[in-house]
Amino acid sequence: MKKRVEVGIDTAVLARNYGKIAARTAPARVLCVLKADAYGIGVGAYAKTLAAAGCDMFGVAEPFEAVELQAALGGSQGPDVQILSSVLPDEIEPMVERGVILPVCGIEEAKSISAAAARLGTVAKVHFKIDTGMGRLGILAAEAESVVRAVRALPGLDCEGIFSHLAMAYDPGDPFTSRQIDVFKKLVAGLAAGGINFKKIHIAASDAINNFPETFKPPFNVVRTGINLHGSFDPNGLRSLDLENALTLKTRIAQVRELPAGTTLGYGRTWCLSEKTRVATICAGYADGLPLALSNKGHVLVNGKRCKILGRISMDYATIDVSEAPEAKAGDEVTCFGRDGEENITPDDWAAIKGTHAYDIICSLGSRRGARKASTGS
Ligand SMILES: Cc1ncc(COP(=O)(O)O)c(C=O)c1O
């Protein structure tokens, strides 16, 4: 039985997007961020495609994601898997055992990682996470030099990296980003002057790659990217990279009816037909990731034609005007976003209508009916 709602990834587009990011930021290396199950799409297909495209560094937010990602990449002997945010005391030993690269957010955490490495008779790779202004996690920049020195004195640690995260990089005109970059560069330079060097130095995520090219020039030699892999961007800022949307959300038509003028559609009766109209009810609603904000505003594609969403989107269904696609019938495919013929709708288009960013749209794609475990195709 064909799924009623399906998220798809075009793996060829995904690989091309990765290649474009890598080409733009070279010789810096690209760390692909596949946290939250690759932003809710399903980490397996992403990991395999990106590894085949040449990526050998992957990042996640937490240990459960690290375990799943490592399995998708062929185990602990595969490409590097790195936790970018935090690790809790009871999570440290299992992560060290699996060879997951860990963030160091403070001296106590580093001591626990060192102790776990000693118990396991191994060496744990770590990256210092420096808070230069994000205000979320990490070692405060003012304390970083002494913490780094103290941690490097601990046994069982390979302190291969140092990184930070930018709070305002979506806005190319905001001076806060330059201040964060300066603070970080001064720290790295000060440590280097004292003979402390790192194999991997990184601060850029997708926004900085597009808006702040200095974040992929020395001393930086790694960039992290998540949303750009999907072909999406922050709604603010530049789109310096020429990327393609890799995602599709498809559903099917449940029923087509010709409704008379004066008919009101759906909850709240927010749309009233001004004339006789062919209306199709589609098998996707807000439980499947169609933002309520698209009610009476958004479009979907049927047979390559843009069809306006009429009435309020409900949990499982939405109603659309198929006057431009009069041949549409029950069971036919509907492209909620993605390409159909000459027409193309992207998660970024939906984000603009909702007044949000593409992360919100992509991460909200529903999990019902197995839709969230994406199929792949190209
Ligand atoms: C530390 C860190 N690095 C990189 C990323 C990837 O960000 P983006 O998807 O904007 O490229 C994130 C995402 O929030 C993050 O938290």
Side-chain angles (χ1 to χ4, degrees), residues 133-183:
M134 182 68 184
R136 191 168 65 178
L137 284 167
I139 304 161
L140 292 176
E143 296 161 9
E145 193 157 338
S146 63
V147 173
V148 167
R149 285 181 193 284
V151 171
R152 280 170 47 91
L154 296 171
L157 299 181
D158 173 1
C159 301
E160 72 157 14
I162 186 163
F163 71 111
S164 190
H165 196 49
L166 299 168
M168 294 293 302
Y170 56 83
D171 182 353
D174 195 292
F176 193 70
T177 301
S178 301
R179 267 187 261 151
Q180 280 193 266
I181 295 169
D182 279 354
V183 167

Side-chain angles (χ1 to χ4, degrees), residues 9-359:
I9 313 166
D10 188 327
T11 51
V13 171
L14 175 61
R16 273 202 299 279
N17 286 345
Y18 168 78
K20 287 176 186 170
I21 299 164
R24 170 65 60 88
T25 57
R29 291 165 65 204
V30 179
L31 186 159
C32 290
V33 180
L34 301 184
K35 63 184 187 161
D37 202 21
Y39 294 12
I41 304 298
V43 76
Y46 271 79
K48 288 188 188 84
T49 302
L50 292 165
C55 179
D56 60 358
M57 289 188 287
F58 292 88
V60 291
E62 49 95 308
F64 292 91
E65 295 170 4
V67 170
E68 202 180 343
L69 177 56
Q70 236 184 16
L73 289 166
S76 57
Q77 300 310 307
D80 281 353
V81 172
Q82 174 165 359
I83 293 176
L84 293 168
S85 11
S86 70
V87 66
L88 305 179
D90 56 301
E91 296 168 344
I92 287 174
E93 191 155 324
M95 289 299 99
V96 173
E97 195 170 14
R98 286 174 169 84
V100 173
I101 301 175
L102 296 179
V104 167
C105 292
I107 184 74
E108 291 312 315
E109 193 178 65
K111 283 181 184 164
S112 301
I113 299 171
S114 169
R119 282 194 298 279
L120 294 164
T122 187
V123 171
K125 272 191 195 169
V126 296
H127 286 214
F128 293 99
K129 185 174 176 82
I130 312 298
D131 187 352
T132 54
M134 182 68 184
R136 191 168 65 178
L137 284 167
I139 304 161
L140 292 176
E143 296 161 9
E145 193 157 338
S146 63
V147 173
V148 167
R149 285 181 193 284
V151 171
R152 280 170 47 91
L154 296 171
L157 299 181
D158 173 1
C159 301
E160 72 157 14
I162 186 163
F163 71 111
S164 190
H165 196 49
L166 299 168
M168 294 293 302
Y170 56 83
D171 182 353
D174 195 292
F176 193 70
T177 301
S178 301
R179 267 187 261 151
Q180 280 193 266
I181 295 169
D182 279 354
V183 167
F184 189 74
K185 277 184 170 174
K186 278 196 185 104
L187 171 65
V188 169
L191 288 165
I196 298 174
N197 294 293
F198 297 94
K199 205 169 124 198
K200 297 178 186 170
I201 301 174
H202 43 119
I203 200 162
S206 297
D207 287 338
I209 294 170
N210 283 279
N211 298 320
F212 293 91
E214 67 264 45
T215 60
F216 50 85
K217 308 223 163 79
F220 302 107
N221 57 12
V222 170
V223 297
R224 309 182 296 268
T225 185
I227 200 73
N228 275 179
L229 292 168
H230 305 265
S232 284
F233 296 84
D234 195 279
N236 303 288
L238 305 173
R239 293 176 173 232
S240 310
L241 290 162
D242 176 24
L243 305 175
E244 302 160 76
N245 170 36
L247 297 175
T248 55
L249 178 66
K250 293 199 172 174
T251 185
R252 303 178 70 194
I253 291 178
Q255 189 177 20
V256 179
R257 298 180 299 166
E258 200 149 86
L259 299 176
T263 305
T264 59
L265 302 178
Y267 290 117
R269 306 181 68 208
T270 60
W271 189 272
C272 180
L273 297 176
S274 58
E275 58 188 358
K276 187 170 79 173
T277 310
R278 280 183 81 74
V279 173
T281 301
I282 64 172
C283 302
Y286 58 77
D288 306 289
L290 253 60
L292 205 53
L294 264 59
S295 303
N296 297 320
K297 288 189 185 141
H299 290 80
V300 296
L301 305 175
V302 178
N303 295 336
K305 299 281 177 8
R306 289 176 85 84
C307 300
K308 187 175 164 74
I309 297 172
L310 303 179
R312 188 188 294 172
I313 292 169
S314 51
M315 187 184 290
D316 323 296
Y317 293 100
T319 37
I320 61 170
D321 179 348
V322 284
S323 305
E324 295 297 313
E327 69 291 349
K329 60 181 185 316
D332 281 0
E333 184 176 275
V334 177
T335 300
C336 300
F337 59 67
R339 183 173 285 285
D340 183 1
E342 296 297 300
E343 292 286 353
N344 190 22
I345 297 175
T346 66
D348 300 46
D349 295 333
W350 281 16
I353 296 172
K354 190 179 171 187
T356 183
H357 44 49
Y359 305 83

